[in-house]
Amino acid sequence: MVPQWFIETKREGQAHPEGELREWVRGVADGSLPDYQIAAWLMAVYLRGLTAEETAVLTDAMMRSGECLTFNLPRPTADKHSTGGIGDKISIPLAPLCAAMGLAVPMISGRGLGLTGGTLDKLESIRGFNVRLSTAEFQRLTGAVGCCMVGQTDSLAPADRRLYALRDVTATVPSIPLITASIMSKKLAEGAQTLLFDVKVGTGAFMETRDRARELAQSLIATGRRLGRTCVALLTNMDQPLGRTVGNALEVRESLEILQGRGPEDVRALTVREAAEMAVAAGLYPSLEAAQAAAEAALASGAAEAKFREMVAAQGGDLAAGLPEAAARVPIVAPASGWVAQVDARAIGRVALKLGAGRQAVSDPIDYAAGLDGLLQQGERVEAGAPLGWLCAADEARARAVLTEAQTAFRISPEPVAAREIIYERMA
Ligand code: URA
């Protein structure tokens, strides 16, 4: 394969023969292809796209560029991937809930990206929680506990790491086939047989329109199927933060509330629905209704919370030490009485980042206690002067510096407003 001819093929909108595409990915992973040729090809793909067949071959080759895990367990394996959103803590209650229902969940998660928080950062707000386990330990705990949540190792889909870094600096990230291959190569290498995709739609998401989200979901499902996995997708609302908290320790606390059968209804409903979808797709329950009832029962009985505590302890975490709490709490005061008509997820994400809950540079430390708490949601009534939520920060000055920005994230209507729809559609 001559690299410039390979690039020319895509530049002219033609399909790559399978063998050449696999050779190309080997060259990406082993470093024999230079950045400038990979970058040129990425732009050709961005402009011309890939066929479903090419996307599957690219995904498979990227997956095989590193270690591929397998599980030989008596329980079916399942995992979910969320495209990311503000306040999206669903993975934290979901994995132990699924484990309590009889699934094995080997979950490899990420850190915060842009404005969206990362599951690993959230879990690390629990003192001692170790997300850097060896592959053998990850496999062992997935079997022994029923769920394990870790970070990506260097040996998982290394071709993706190089392609992702180059996409980031060549304006080629928002390409459906490239996003598909990136997400799926990692999820497939992780070894779960059933995959649920939570594709977020809205101002706080990667995909701002339902059409784009649908296109991505279709591509993820089709690629997963071609490569032998069972896949389901939900398109869900990310115009407003999920739940009442944004920020690492705050979101762990809210996740615990969900596991105790409390917590905000949107987080609870989405967690139960996702667990049920995974359990049905994995063949554990005959219907969504039966699986949802089982999920509700696992929350009510304390079985899901017990699984969470078991997982935390197995990964070195100490919940008894308490979660970090911010020194300063400043209310976001409602300027008028009325009903919350909008809570701009992107603006709330920016505020959380400025409070210290996220990183502005890769090496930035995180303030685990920082973020927003007690956020009102669309449709809720508020009186002038009452809090719309609270800013949590290391000191009051840091909170006050973002107070106006936080206030303008809320729109208040003098008329009643309906609560927002959370789950738009299901695709399989
Ligand atoms: N997440 C990924 O892992 N890859 C992408 O390309 C986009 C989101």
Side-chain angles (χ1 to χ4, degrees), residues 81 83 113 160 164 167 173 178-180 182-183 186 206:
H81 175 84
T83 56
L113 187 69
D160 177 60
Y164 196 90
R167 285 166 60 207
V173 169
L178 293 178
I179 295 171
T180 301
S182 171
I183 292 173
K186 289 173 287 198
F206 216 34

Side-chain angles (χ1 to χ4, degrees), residues 70-80 94-108 138-149 190-196 275 278-279 282-285 307 311:
T70 50
F71 290 88
N72 189 11
L73 300 172
R75 308 157 159 239
T77 50
D79 188 17
K80 78 116 192 191
L94 179 68
L97 174 57
C98 287
M101 292 167 69
L103 289 168
V105 185
M107 193 178 271
I108 298 182
F138 176 56
Q139 285 172 304
R140 190 185 72 75
L141 288 182
T142 301
V145 178
C147 57
C148 187
M149 299 171 87
E190 172 194 277
Q193 186 54 38
T194 296
L195 295 171
L196 171 78
M278 287 162 70
L284 276 187
Y285 293 90
K307 270 288 160 218
M311 177 186 79

Side-chain angles (χ1 to χ4, degrees), residues 86 114-116 241 246 344-354 372:
I86 315 298
L115 293 178
T116 65
V246 178
D344 181 341
R346 189 179 294 265
I348 295 289
R350 269 198 307 265
V351 167
L353 191 85
K354 290 179 185 172
L372 297 101

